[in-house]
Amino acid sequence: MPIQLTSQAYCKMLLHAAKYPHCAVNGLLVAEKTKEKKKDGHSGPVLCVDCVPLFHGTLALAPMLEVALTLIDTWCKENNYTIVGYYQANEQTQDSRPNQVAQKVAARISENFSEAVIVMVDSSRLTMSCFEPIVFIYDHLENKWKNREVTTDAFEDWNEAQKITSALLVGRSYENLIDFDNHLDDLRNDWTNPAINKSVLDLC
Amino acid sequence: MASLSEMYDVGWEEMRDKLRKWREDNCRNSEQIVDVGEELISEHASKLGDDIWIIYEQVMIAALDCSRDDLALTCLQELRKQFPDSHRVKRLTGMRLEALERYDDANKHYDAILQEDPTNTAVRKRKISILRAQGKSTEAIRELNEYLEQFVGDQEAWHELSELYINEHDYGKAAFCLEELMMTNPHNHLYCEQYAEVKYTQGGMENLELARKYFAQALRLNNRNMRALFGLYMSASHIAASPKVSAKVKKDNIKYAAWAAAQINRAYKLAGRGNKDNKCSIKAVEEMLESMQITMS
Protein backbone atom coordinates (compact mmCIF):
# COMPACT_ATOMS: atom_id res chain seq x y z
CA MET A 1 0.00 0.00 0.00
CA PRO A 2 1.68 3.14 -1.16
CA ILE A 3 2.06 6.20 0.98
CA GLN A 4 2.84 9.62 -0.30
CA LEU A 5 4.53 12.42 1.56
CA THR A 6 3.46 16.02 1.25
CA SER A 7 6.05 18.77 1.22
CA GLN A 8 5.11 19.73 4.75
CA ALA A 9 5.63 16.24 6.14
CA TYR A 10 8.91 15.72 4.30
CA CYS A 11 10.47 19.06 5.13
CA LYS A 12 9.59 18.93 8.82
CA MET A 13 11.25 15.51 9.11
CA LEU A 14 14.42 16.85 7.55
CA LEU A 15 14.34 20.03 9.60
CA HIS A 16 14.12 17.91 12.73
CA ALA A 17 17.15 15.87 11.69
CA ALA A 18 19.02 19.04 10.77
CA LYS A 19 18.27 20.72 14.09
CA TYR A 20 19.94 17.89 16.03
CA PRO A 21 22.68 16.55 13.76
CA HIS A 22 24.45 14.83 16.63
CA CYS A 23 21.37 13.02 17.94
CA ALA A 24 18.90 10.42 16.89
CA VAL A 25 15.51 11.99 16.23
CA ASN A 26 12.06 10.52 15.73
CA GLY A 27 8.47 11.47 15.13
CA LEU A 28 5.08 10.42 13.86
CA LEU A 29 3.48 10.71 10.44
CA VAL A 30 -0.20 11.56 10.14
CA ALA A 31 -2.72 11.36 7.34
CA GLU A 32 -6.27 12.56 6.93
CA LYS A 33 -8.85 10.03 7.90
CA THR A 34 -10.65 8.67 4.89
CA LYS A 35 -14.37 8.10 5.17
CA GLU A 36 -14.72 4.58 3.82
CA LYS A 37 -12.34 1.95 2.65
CA LYS A 38 -13.40 1.06 -0.86
CA LYS A 39 -14.26 -2.58 -1.19
CA ASP A 40 -11.88 -3.25 -4.03
CA GLY A 41 -8.94 -2.03 -1.96
CA HIS A 42 -7.84 0.51 -4.55
CA SER A 43 -8.52 3.58 -2.49
CA GLY A 44 -5.41 5.35 -3.71
CA PRO A 45 -2.23 6.07 -1.80
CA VAL A 46 -2.37 7.28 1.78
CA LEU A 47 -1.27 10.91 1.87
CA CYS A 48 0.90 11.80 4.88
CA VAL A 49 -0.04 15.42 5.23
CA ASP A 50 2.00 16.21 8.27
CA CYS A 51 4.45 14.91 10.81
CA VAL A 52 4.91 15.54 14.51
CA PRO A 53 8.54 15.64 15.65
CA LEU A 54 8.85 13.77 18.91
CA PHE A 55 12.23 13.37 20.56
CA HIS A 56 15.92 13.84 20.10
CA GLY A 57 18.78 12.08 21.85
CA THR A 58 17.64 9.10 23.88
CA LEU A 59 14.72 7.51 22.06
CA ALA A 60 14.51 4.29 23.99
CA LEU A 61 12.57 5.34 27.08
CA ALA A 62 8.88 4.56 27.40
CA PRO A 63 7.00 7.04 29.58
CA MET A 64 7.28 10.23 27.50
CA LEU A 65 6.71 8.23 24.34
CA GLU A 66 3.44 6.96 25.77
CA VAL A 67 2.42 10.46 26.76
CA ALA A 68 3.24 11.74 23.29
CA LEU A 69 1.37 8.93 21.53
CA THR A 70 -1.73 9.45 23.67
CA LEU A 71 -1.68 13.24 23.36
CA ILE A 72 -1.08 13.19 19.63
CA ASP A 73 -3.76 10.57 19.19
CA THR A 74 -6.23 12.92 20.87
CA TRP A 75 -5.05 15.79 18.69
CA CYS A 76 -5.52 13.60 15.63
CA LYS A 77 -9.11 12.86 16.57
CA GLU A 78 -9.80 16.60 16.82
CA ASN A 79 -8.34 17.20 13.38
CA ASN A 80 -9.62 14.09 11.65
CA TYR A 81 -6.15 12.66 11.24
CA THR A 82 -4.80 9.15 11.83
CA ILE A 83 -1.29 8.25 12.83
CA VAL A 84 -0.05 6.21 9.89
CA GLY A 85 3.67 6.00 10.34
CA TYR A 86 6.83 6.68 12.28
CA TYR A 87 10.06 8.33 11.20
CA GLN A 88 13.51 8.13 12.67
CA ALA A 89 16.99 9.38 11.90
CA ASN A 90 19.69 7.39 13.66
CA GLU A 91 22.56 8.86 15.63
CA GLN A 92 24.98 6.88 13.48
CA THR A 93 24.64 8.43 10.05
CA GLN A 94 26.06 5.34 8.35
CA ASP A 95 23.26 3.19 9.68
CA SER A 96 19.77 3.87 8.45
CA ARG A 97 18.02 0.66 9.37
CA PRO A 98 15.00 0.65 11.69
CA ASN A 99 16.10 -0.48 15.14
CA GLN A 100 14.17 -1.97 18.01
CA VAL A 101 12.63 1.36 19.04
CA ALA A 102 11.38 2.02 15.52
CA GLN A 103 9.88 -1.44 15.24
CA LYS A 104 8.20 -1.24 18.63
CA VAL A 105 6.58 2.13 17.95
CA ALA A 106 5.53 1.05 14.47
CA ALA A 107 3.97 -2.11 15.92
CA ARG A 108 1.99 0.06 18.32
CA ILE A 109 0.83 2.29 15.46
CA SER A 110 -0.15 -0.81 13.48
CA GLU A 111 -2.70 -1.65 16.15
CA ASN A 112 -4.74 1.28 14.92
CA PHE A 113 -3.64 1.43 11.32
CA SER A 114 -2.76 -1.90 9.83
CA GLU A 115 -0.53 -0.57 7.06
CA ALA A 116 1.73 1.60 9.20
CA VAL A 117 5.10 2.44 7.70
CA ILE A 118 8.53 3.26 9.05
CA VAL A 119 10.34 6.08 7.31
CA MET A 120 14.06 6.19 7.98
CA VAL A 121 15.85 9.43 7.19
CA ASP A 122 19.29 8.91 5.71
CA SER A 123 21.21 11.73 7.41
CA SER A 124 24.40 10.87 5.56
CA ARG A 125 22.81 12.28 2.41
CA LEU A 126 21.31 15.38 3.99
CA THR A 127 22.36 18.40 1.95
CA MET A 128 21.15 21.96 1.59
CA SER A 129 20.09 21.39 -1.99
CA CYS A 130 18.02 18.26 -1.28
CA PHE A 131 18.54 17.15 -4.85
CA GLU A 132 17.36 13.62 -4.11
CA PRO A 133 14.88 12.09 -1.66
CA ILE A 134 16.78 10.81 1.37
CA VAL A 135 14.20 8.58 2.97
CA PHE A 136 13.82 4.85 3.09
CA ILE A 137 10.29 3.54 3.46
CA TYR A 138 9.72 0.23 5.22
CA ASP A 139 6.53 -1.82 5.09
CA HIS A 140 5.63 -4.68 7.38
CA LEU A 141 5.37 -7.74 5.16
CA GLU A 142 5.47 -11.39 6.24
CA ASN A 143 6.45 -10.38 9.77
CA LYS A 144 9.47 -8.42 8.65
CA TRP A 145 10.13 -4.80 7.86
CA LYS A 146 11.02 -4.59 4.20
CA ASN A 147 12.62 -1.70 2.40
CA ARG A 148 10.62 -0.40 -0.54
CA GLU A 149 12.15 1.44 -3.46
CA VAL A 150 11.62 5.17 -3.07
CA THR A 151 11.00 7.18 -6.21
CA THR A 152 9.52 10.60 -6.68
CA ASP A 153 6.13 8.81 -6.71
CA ALA A 154 6.45 8.63 -2.94
CA PHE A 155 5.85 12.36 -2.90
CA GLU A 156 2.73 14.33 -3.63
CA ASP A 157 4.94 16.77 -5.53
CA TRP A 158 8.67 16.05 -5.36
CA ASN A 159 9.75 19.30 -7.04
CA GLU A 160 7.77 21.34 -4.58
CA ALA A 161 9.03 19.28 -1.63
CA GLN A 162 12.59 19.66 -2.81
CA LYS A 163 12.28 23.40 -3.33
CA ILE A 164 10.60 24.07 0.00
CA THR A 165 12.87 21.83 2.08
CA SER A 166 15.97 23.35 0.55
CA ALA A 167 14.73 26.88 1.16
CA LEU A 168 13.90 26.17 4.79
CA LEU A 169 17.23 24.45 5.42
CA VAL A 170 19.16 27.36 3.93
CA GLY A 171 17.07 29.79 5.95
CA ARG A 172 17.89 27.79 9.11
CA SER A 173 14.19 27.34 9.92
CA TYR A 174 15.16 24.24 11.85
CA GLU A 175 16.23 26.53 14.70
CA ASN A 176 12.54 27.20 15.27
CA LEU A 177 11.30 23.65 14.86
CA ILE A 178 9.59 22.40 18.01
CA ASP A 179 9.58 18.75 18.94
CA PHE A 180 7.80 17.07 21.83
CA ASP A 181 10.97 17.24 23.93
CA ASN A 182 11.02 21.03 23.48
CA HIS A 183 7.35 21.09 24.47
CA LEU A 184 8.07 19.18 27.69
CA ASP A 185 10.85 21.66 28.46
CA ASP A 186 8.42 24.56 28.06
CA LEU A 187 4.71 23.94 27.51
CA ARG A 188 4.38 27.10 25.47
CA ASN A 189 6.41 25.46 22.70
CA ASP A 190 3.87 24.25 20.17
CA TRP A 191 4.68 20.85 18.64
CA THR A 192 2.23 21.42 15.81
CA ASN A 193 4.74 23.99 14.48
CA PRO A 194 2.24 26.53 13.13
CA ALA A 195 4.99 28.99 12.15
CA ILE A 196 6.83 26.44 10.04
CA ASN A 197 3.59 25.21 8.52
CA LYS A 198 2.87 28.77 7.48
CA SER A 199 6.34 29.12 5.93
CA VAL A 200 5.70 25.96 3.95
CA LEU A 201 2.38 27.30 2.74
CA ASP A 202 3.92 30.61 1.79
CA LEU A 203 6.53 28.84 -0.29
CA CYS A 204 4.07 26.62 -2.12
CA MET B 1 26.28 40.91 4.71
CA ALA B 2 25.41 42.63 7.96
CA SER B 3 27.38 41.61 11.00
CA LEU B 4 25.59 40.00 13.92
CA SER B 5 26.19 43.03 16.09
CA GLU B 6 24.51 45.22 13.49
CA MET B 7 21.61 42.87 12.95
CA TYR B 8 20.77 42.35 16.59
CA ASP B 9 22.17 45.57 17.98
CA VAL B 10 24.46 43.87 20.49
CA GLY B 11 27.82 45.06 21.66
CA TRP B 12 30.92 42.91 21.90
CA GLU B 13 30.52 42.59 25.67
CA GLU B 14 27.11 40.98 25.26
CA MET B 15 28.50 38.60 22.69
CA ARG B 16 31.32 37.69 25.04
CA ASP B 17 28.87 37.16 27.91
CA LYS B 18 26.63 35.01 25.73
CA LEU B 19 29.59 32.80 24.89
CA ARG B 20 30.41 32.51 28.57
CA LYS B 21 26.86 31.52 29.42
CA TRP B 22 26.90 28.83 26.71
CA ARG B 23 30.23 27.56 28.09
CA GLU B 24 28.86 27.35 31.60
CA ASP B 25 25.66 25.62 30.51
CA ASN B 26 27.60 23.31 28.23
CA CYS B 27 25.21 24.02 25.35
CA ARG B 28 25.85 22.40 22.01
CA ASN B 29 24.40 25.23 19.90
CA SER B 30 27.39 25.12 17.62
CA GLU B 31 26.02 27.19 14.74
CA GLN B 32 25.25 30.08 17.07
CA ILE B 33 28.63 29.81 18.78
CA VAL B 34 30.35 29.92 15.41
CA ASP B 35 28.32 32.96 14.32
CA VAL B 36 28.95 34.92 17.50
CA GLY B 37 32.47 33.67 18.15
CA GLU B 38 33.78 34.20 14.65
CA GLU B 39 32.69 37.81 14.67
CA LEU B 40 34.00 38.39 18.17
CA ILE B 41 37.40 36.96 17.30
CA SER B 42 37.81 38.78 14.03
CA GLU B 43 36.52 42.18 15.12
CA HIS B 44 37.15 42.45 18.84
CA ALA B 45 40.08 40.18 19.65
CA SER B 46 42.12 42.93 21.27
CA LYS B 47 39.36 43.80 23.75
CA LEU B 48 38.92 40.28 25.07
CA GLY B 49 42.11 40.03 27.10
CA ASP B 50 42.88 36.58 28.43
CA ASP B 51 39.34 35.44 27.74
CA ILE B 52 40.34 35.05 24.14
CA TRP B 53 42.09 31.72 24.69
CA ILE B 54 39.07 29.98 26.16
CA ILE B 55 36.95 31.54 23.46
CA TYR B 56 39.29 30.16 20.80
CA GLU B 57 38.83 26.72 22.33
CA GLN B 58 35.05 27.05 22.48
CA VAL B 59 34.76 28.37 18.94
CA MET B 60 37.15 25.74 17.62
CA ILE B 61 35.03 22.89 18.98
CA ALA B 62 31.85 24.51 17.65
CA ALA B 63 33.54 24.99 14.27
CA LEU B 64 34.38 21.28 14.14
CA ASP B 65 30.71 20.54 14.80
CA CYS B 66 29.74 22.70 11.84
CA SER B 67 32.41 21.36 9.47
CA ARG B 68 34.10 24.76 9.47
CA ASP B 69 37.63 23.38 9.30
CA ASP B 70 38.97 26.75 8.18
CA LEU B 71 37.80 28.43 11.36
CA ALA B 72 38.82 25.47 13.52
CA LEU B 73 42.34 25.54 12.12
CA THR B 74 42.66 29.30 12.70
CA CYS B 75 41.67 28.92 16.34
CA LEU B 76 43.91 25.87 16.80
CA GLN B 77 46.92 27.66 15.34
CA GLU B 78 46.47 30.63 17.68
CA LEU B 79 46.23 28.27 20.64
CA ARG B 80 49.29 26.30 19.52
CA LYS B 81 51.31 29.50 19.22
CA GLN B 82 50.33 30.61 22.71
CA PHE B 83 50.53 27.24 24.47
CA PRO B 84 53.06 25.19 22.51
CA ASP B 85 53.40 22.17 24.80
CA SER B 86 49.93 22.08 26.27
CA HIS B 87 48.17 18.74 26.47
CA ARG B 88 44.88 20.60 26.48
CA VAL B 89 45.69 22.05 23.07
CA LYS B 90 47.00 18.69 21.87
CA ARG B 91 43.62 17.23 22.74
CA LEU B 92 42.02 19.81 20.45
CA THR B 93 44.33 18.68 17.65
CA GLY B 94 43.04 15.18 18.26
CA MET B 95 39.44 16.39 18.13
CA ARG B 96 40.09 17.95 14.76
CA LEU B 97 41.34 14.60 13.49
CA GLU B 98 38.17 13.02 14.86
CA ALA B 99 36.05 15.59 13.05
CA LEU B 100 37.85 14.69 9.82
CA GLU B 101 37.04 11.04 10.64
CA ARG B 102 40.76 10.22 10.77
CA TYR B 103 40.14 8.03 13.79
CA ASP B 104 43.35 6.00 13.56
CA ASP B 105 45.44 9.17 13.48
CA ALA B 106 43.41 10.60 16.35
CA ASN B 107 43.94 7.47 18.43
CA LYS B 108 47.70 7.51 17.79
CA HIS B 109 47.78 11.16 18.77
CA TYR B 110 45.86 10.49 21.99
CA ASP B 111 48.04 7.48 22.83
CA ALA B 112 51.11 9.69 22.57
CA ILE B 113 49.59 12.12 25.09
CA LEU B 114 48.67 9.27 27.41
CA GLN B 115 52.27 8.00 27.25
CA GLU B 116 53.41 11.30 28.69
CA ASP B 117 50.45 11.67 31.05
CA PRO B 118 48.56 8.46 31.83
CA THR B 119 46.13 10.28 34.12
CA ASN B 120 44.80 12.57 31.42
CA THR B 121 41.09 11.85 31.80
CA ALA B 122 39.95 14.17 29.02
CA VAL B 123 42.02 12.29 26.46
CA ARG B 124 40.88 8.90 27.70
CA LYS B 125 37.30 10.06 27.25
CA ARG B 126 38.05 11.18 23.71
CA LYS B 127 39.20 7.66 22.90
CA ILE B 128 35.90 6.35 24.23
CA SER B 129 34.04 8.94 22.16
CA ILE B 130 35.78 7.64 19.06
CA LEU B 131 34.43 4.17 19.80
CA ARG B 132 30.95 5.62 20.13
CA ALA B 133 31.33 7.57 16.89
CA GLN B 134 32.35 4.38 15.11
CA GLY B 135 29.26 2.61 16.42
CA LYS B 136 31.33 0.26 18.58
CA SER B 137 28.96 0.43 21.55
CA THR B 138 30.16 -2.76 23.26
CA GLU B 139 33.77 -1.61 23.28
CA ALA B 140 32.78 1.89 24.35
CA ILE B 141 30.80 0.45 27.26
CA ARG B 142 33.69 -1.79 28.27
CA GLU B 143 36.27 1.01 28.12
CA LEU B 144 33.97 3.40 29.99
CA ASN B 145 33.43 0.82 32.73
CA GLU B 146 37.19 0.42 33.11
CA TYR B 147 37.61 4.17 33.18
CA LEU B 148 34.97 4.53 35.90
CA GLU B 149 36.68 1.92 38.07
CA GLN B 150 39.58 4.33 38.28
CA PHE B 151 37.74 7.63 38.16
CA VAL B 152 34.64 6.80 40.16
CA GLY B 153 33.64 10.44 40.69
CA ASP B 154 33.39 11.44 37.03
CA GLN B 155 29.72 12.34 36.68
CA GLU B 156 29.89 13.12 32.99
CA ALA B 157 31.21 9.61 32.45
CA TRP B 158 28.47 7.96 34.52
CA HIS B 159 25.88 9.87 32.52
CA GLU B 160 27.46 8.90 29.21
CA LEU B 161 27.47 5.27 30.35
CA SER B 162 23.80 5.43 31.31
CA GLU B 163 23.02 6.73 27.82
CA LEU B 164 25.02 3.95 26.17
CA TYR B 165 23.19 1.33 28.25
CA ILE B 166 19.79 2.85 27.44
CA ASN B 167 20.59 2.75 23.72
CA GLU B 168 21.45 -0.94 24.13
CA HIS B 169 18.18 -1.45 26.04
CA ASP B 170 20.15 -2.62 29.10
CA TYR B 171 17.92 -0.73 31.50
CA GLY B 172 19.14 -2.46 34.64
CA LYS B 173 22.69 -1.24 34.13
CA ALA B 174 21.49 2.20 33.06
CA ALA B 175 19.57 2.42 36.34
CA PHE B 176 22.75 1.54 38.24
CA CYS B 177 24.60 4.46 36.62
CA LEU B 178 21.79 6.84 37.44
CA GLU B 179 21.77 5.56 41.03
CA GLU B 180 25.44 6.55 41.30
CA LEU B 181 24.54 10.00 40.00
CA MET B 182 21.60 10.39 42.37
CA MET B 183 23.78 9.41 45.33
CA THR B 184 26.33 12.10 44.59
CA ASN B 185 23.75 14.67 43.46
CA PRO B 186 20.71 14.15 45.70
CA HIS B 187 19.22 17.51 44.75
CA ASN B 188 19.39 17.03 41.01
CA HIS B 189 15.81 16.58 39.81
CA LEU B 190 16.92 15.54 36.31
CA TYR B 191 18.76 12.43 37.49
CA CYS B 192 15.75 11.45 39.61
CA GLU B 193 13.42 11.88 36.71
CA GLN B 194 15.64 9.96 34.28
CA TYR B 195 16.00 7.13 36.78
CA ALA B 196 12.23 6.98 37.09
CA GLU B 197 11.90 6.83 33.28
CA VAL B 198 14.35 3.92 33.13
CA LYS B 199 12.50 2.03 35.86
CA TYR B 200 9.18 2.64 34.10
CA THR B 201 10.64 1.34 30.85
CA GLN B 202 11.92 -1.78 32.60
CA GLY B 203 8.35 -2.56 33.54
CA GLY B 204 6.78 -4.79 36.12
CA MET B 205 4.84 -3.73 39.18
CA GLU B 206 7.84 -3.20 41.45
CA ASN B 207 9.62 -1.02 38.91
CA LEU B 208 6.45 0.91 38.22
CA GLU B 209 6.03 1.73 41.91
CA LEU B 210 9.68 2.73 42.14
CA ALA B 211 9.23 4.89 39.05
CA ARG B 212 6.25 6.62 40.61
CA LYS B 213 8.21 7.32 43.78
CA TYR B 214 11.13 8.80 41.90
CA PHE B 215 8.90 10.89 39.66
CA ALA B 216 7.37 12.23 42.87
CA GLN B 217 10.83 12.88 44.29
CA ALA B 218 11.85 14.76 41.13
CA LEU B 219 8.73 16.90 41.51
CA ARG B 220 9.60 17.64 45.12
CA LEU B 221 12.98 18.85 43.94
CA ASN B 222 11.51 20.85 41.07
CA ASN B 223 7.76 21.26 40.87
CA ARG B 224 7.94 22.52 37.30
CA ASN B 225 9.47 19.38 35.84
CA MET B 226 6.75 18.39 33.35
CA ARG B 227 8.31 15.05 32.55
CA ALA B 228 8.17 14.14 36.24
CA LEU B 229 4.56 15.27 36.42
CA PHE B 230 3.50 13.29 33.38
CA GLY B 231 5.56 10.35 34.60
CA LEU B 232 3.84 10.41 37.98
CA TYR B 233 0.48 10.48 36.23
CA MET B 234 1.33 7.59 33.88
CA SER B 235 2.86 5.34 36.52
CA ALA B 236 0.09 5.92 39.07
CA SER B 237 -2.53 5.33 36.35
CA HIS B 238 -0.94 2.07 35.25
CA ILE B 239 -0.68 0.81 38.82
CA ALA B 240 -4.30 1.71 39.52
CA ALA B 241 -5.44 0.02 36.32
CA SER B 242 -3.62 -3.21 37.10
CA PRO B 243 -5.82 -6.13 38.20
CA LYS B 244 -3.05 -7.42 40.46
CA VAL B 245 -3.05 -4.68 43.08
CA SER B 246 -4.95 -4.51 46.33
CA ALA B 247 -7.93 -2.21 46.70
CA LYS B 248 -5.96 0.14 48.92
CA VAL B 249 -3.05 0.44 46.47
CA LYS B 250 -5.56 1.05 43.70
CA LYS B 251 -7.30 3.75 45.68
CA ASP B 252 -4.03 5.46 46.62
CA ASN B 253 -2.78 5.48 43.07
CA ILE B 254 -6.04 6.84 41.73
CA LYS B 255 -5.57 9.71 44.18
CA TYR B 256 -1.99 10.32 43.01
CA ALA B 257 -3.03 10.19 39.37
CA ALA B 258 -5.93 12.56 39.97
CA TRP B 259 -3.63 15.01 41.71
CA ALA B 260 -1.13 14.80 38.87
CA ALA B 261 -3.89 15.26 36.31
CA ALA B 262 -5.06 18.42 38.06
CA GLN B 263 -1.51 19.76 38.14
CA ILE B 264 -1.02 18.97 34.47
CA ASN B 265 -4.23 20.76 33.55
CA ARG B 266 -3.17 23.72 35.63
CA ALA B 267 0.25 23.85 34.01
CA TYR B 268 -1.31 23.81 30.53
CA LYS B 269 -3.78 26.54 31.44
CA LEU B 270 -0.96 28.70 32.76
CA ALA B 271 1.06 28.12 29.62
CA GLY B 272 -1.91 28.74 27.37
CA ARG B 273 -2.66 32.13 28.82
CA GLY B 274 -2.57 34.77 26.14
CA ASN B 275 -1.92 32.17 23.50
CA LYS B 276 -5.04 31.30 21.56
CA ASP B 277 -3.32 28.69 19.43
CA ASN B 278 -2.45 26.56 22.40
CA LYS B 279 -6.10 25.89 23.12
CA CYS B 280 -5.78 22.75 21.09
CA SER B 281 -3.06 21.44 23.35
CA ILE B 282 -5.11 22.12 26.48
CA LYS B 283 -8.09 20.34 25.05
CA ALA B 284 -5.96 17.41 23.93
CA VAL B 285 -4.49 17.07 27.40
CA GLU B 286 -7.89 17.24 29.08
CA GLU B 287 -9.25 14.56 26.79
CA MET B 288 -6.19 12.38 27.25
CA LEU B 289 -6.56 12.58 31.02
CA GLU B 290 -10.27 11.82 30.78
CA SER B 291 -9.74 8.85 28.53
CA MET B 292 -7.19 7.38 30.92
CA GLN B 293 -9.57 7.86 33.86
CA ILE B 294 -12.01 5.62 32.08
CA THR B 295 -9.48 2.81 31.74
CA MET B 296 -8.59 3.09 35.40
CA SER B 297 -12.06 2.54 36.77
Side-chain angles (χ1 to χ4, degrees):
Chain A
M1 182 241 37
I3 62 152
Q4 274 193 334
L5 299 167
T6 59
S7 305
Q8 181 162 304
Y10 184 69
C11 84
K12 278 159 79 172
M13 279 195 289
L14 265 62
L15 288 176
H16 194 200
K19 185 179 181 186
Y20 299 106
H22 56 286
C23 296
V25 299
N26 65 359
L28 300 175
L29 293 162
V30 299
E32 282 175 0
K33 230 184 210 150
T34 48
K35 295 219 173 91
E36 337 101 31
K37 237 193 170 146
K38 304 230 175 79
K39 290 253 159 80
D40 61 3
H42 295 307
S43 45
V46 171
L47 188 63
C48 291
V49 296
D50 203 358
C51 74
V52 179
L54 287 178
F55 305 109
H56 55 271
T58 311
L59 307 181
L61 290 175
M64 298 307 124
L65 182 57
E66 275 186 46
V67 173
L69 284 171
T70 318
L71 212 55
I72 291 164
D73 208 39
T74 314
W75 173 77
C76 279
K77 289 199 178 68
E78 298 261 302
N79 293 282
N80 214 29
Y81 286 154
T82 323
I83 301 177
V84 298
Y86 168 86
Y87 75 83
Q88 183 170 306
N90 287 332
E91 182 182 294
Q92 297 290 327
T93 50
Q94 326 90 295
D95 177 16
S96 49
R97 288 163 309 163
N99 58 9
Q100 207 179 83
V101 177
Q103 293 181 26
K104 276 213 171 111
V105 181
R108 181 80 176 263
I109 297 173
S110 303
E111 286 170 18
N112 280 338
F113 184 78
S114 55
E115 288 154 331
V117 293
I118 297 180
V119 174
M120 296 300 293
V121 179
D122 184 0
S123 311
S124 66
R125 288 184 293 155
L126 183 57
T127 62
M128 289 296 213
S129 62
C130 305
F131 62 91
E132 55 168 358
I134 59 169
V135 288
F136 294 110
I137 302 182
Y138 287 79
D139 303 290
H140 200 55
L141 301 163
E142 295 154 26
N143 258 327
K144 287 205 213 111
W145 286 98
K146 296 213 176 115
N147 195 344
R148 155 195 344 158
E149 199 202 335
V150 172
T151 63
T152 54
D153 284 339
F155 297 86
E156 190 189 26
D157 182 343
W158 166 246
N159 284 321
E160 182 190 78
Q162 187 252 336
K163 194 185 69 172
I164 293 178
T165 309
S166 181
L168 292 180
L169 280 172
V170 168
R172 311 224 306 216
S173 290
Y174 46 81
E175 288 171 4
N176 303 316
L177 183 92
I178 302 292
D179 64 11
F180 204 75
D181 258 332
N182 302 136
H183 175 72
L184 290 172
D185 290 334
D186 184 339
L187 292 186
R188 292 166 296 183
N189 289 330
D190 191 347
W191 44 264
T192 60
N193 287 289
I196 296 200
N197 292 344
K198 183 163 184 304
S199 306
V200 171
L201 224 56
D202 288 343
L203 286 167
C204 274
Chain B
M1 216 200 85
S3 67
L4 272 185
S5 45
E6 282 166 29
M7 280 202 285
Y8 297 102
D9 193 23
V10 288
W12 67 270
E13 298 102 326
E14 284 171 80
M15 291 165 83
R16 178 203 55 193
D17 293 341
K18 257 275 137 73
L19 282 180
R20 179 182 21 235
K21 180 166 193 305
W22 291 331
R23 267 198 314 273
E24 285 166 12
D25 295 342
N26 210 7
C27 301
R28 195 168 172 171
N29 51 336
S30 301
E31 275 188 310
Q32 281 182 303
I33 294 176
V34 162
D35 283 344
V36 173
E38 188 170 24
E39 190 172 312
L40 205 58
I41 293 173
S42 51
E43 317 265 320
H44 307 282
S46 49
K47 306 188 193 101
L48 293 169
D50 276 335
D51 272 350
I52 194 158
W53 307 115
I54 201 160
I55 289 177
Y56 272 133
E57 183 185 42
Q58 181 182 15
V59 174
M60 190 217 155
I61 295 176
L64 290 179
D65 232 3
C66 298
S67 274
R68 284 287 311 273
D69 197 41
D70 55 318
L71 180 58
L73 215 45
T74 310
C75 297
L76 188 54
Q77 280 158 354
E78 292 298 316
L79 287 167
R80 275 189 190 140
K81 260 194 294 191
Q82 182 70 10
F83 307 101
D85 290 311
S86 157
H87 277 164
R88 185 165 164 174
V89 175
K90 289 210 177 118
R91 185 198 104 179
L92 293 175
T93 306
M95 284 178 83
R96 179 171 169 268
L97 291 171
E98 286 184 61
L100 297 169
E101 292 184 87
R102 289 165 51 184
Y103 295 123
D104 290 333
D105 289 339
N107 266 321
K108 281 202 201 100
H109 185 81
Y110 290 141
D111 286 334
I113 302 177
L114 285 172
Q115 280 268 12
E116 287 175 35
D117 178 11
T119 65
N120 192 322
T121 55
V123 166
R124 271 185 80 164
K125 288 194 277 188
R126 284 323 310 162
K127 285 181 61 91
I128 295 171
S129 301
I130 291 178
L131 290 171
R132 182 168 178 176
Q134 293 174 308
K136 298 180 177 163
S137 318
T138 325
E139 287 99 322
I141 288 176
R142 190 189 55 221
E143 294 292 319
L144 199 38
N145 268 302
E146 272 180 40
Y147 171 85
L148 280 165
E149 271 170 38
Q150 261 189 284
F151 300 99
V152 119
D154 190 331
Q155 296 179 29
E156 182 185 64
W158 280 112
H159 201 258
E160 181 80 6
L161 188 54
S162 77
E163 255 181 54
L164 288 173
Y165 277 131
I166 291 171
N167 288 339
E168 295 300 304
H169 306 286
D170 196 338
Y171 300 110
K173 301 219 179 86
F176 178 82
C177 299
L178 288 163
E179 282 162 12
E180 285 287 333
L181 287 166
M182 287 196 294
M183 261 201 304
T184 45
N185 301 274
H187 299 294
N188 185 318
H189 65 105
L190 295 171
Y191 293 150
C192 250
E193 186 265 308
Q194 276 174 11
Y195 179 75
E197 283 199 58
V198 170
K199 283 291 162 195
Y200 183 109
T201 310
Q202 270 185 292
M205 192 50 60
E206 233 179 85
N207 285 327
L208 219 46
E209 298 214 299
L210 217 56
R212 192 205 65 225
K213 290 185 182 147
Y214 278 91
F215 280 129
Q217 177 63 5
L219 274 173
R220 251 176 247 127
L221 294 169
N222 180 344
N223 61 5
R224 292 190 301 172
N225 185 327
M226 276 318 289
R227 289 182 178 80
L229 196 48
F230 269 119
L232 174 59
Y233 176 75
M234 297 296 285
S235 37
S237 303
H238 280 305
I239 297 172
S242 163
K244 298 188 222 153
V245 297
S246 69
K248 177 170 192 314
V249 169
K250 189 179 167 101
K251 192 157 161 247
D252 285 342
N253 279 282
I254 291 183
K255 249 197 313 186
Y256 303 142
W259 178 85
Q263 296 301 311
I264 293 173
N265 265 320
R266 195 163 144 264
Y268 269 92
K269 290 218 164 68
L270 266 166
R273 240 178 237 166
N275 187 350
K276 277 180 257 148
D277 297 324
N278 253 329
K279 275 225 176 78
C280 135
S281 267
I282 299 182
K283 188 140 193 268
V285 170
E286 278 177 2
E287 293 201 13
M288 169 187 111
L289 298 173
E290 268 176 46
S291 73
M292 290 209 69
Q293 295 268 15
I294 297 171
T295 55
M296 272 202 288
S297 52

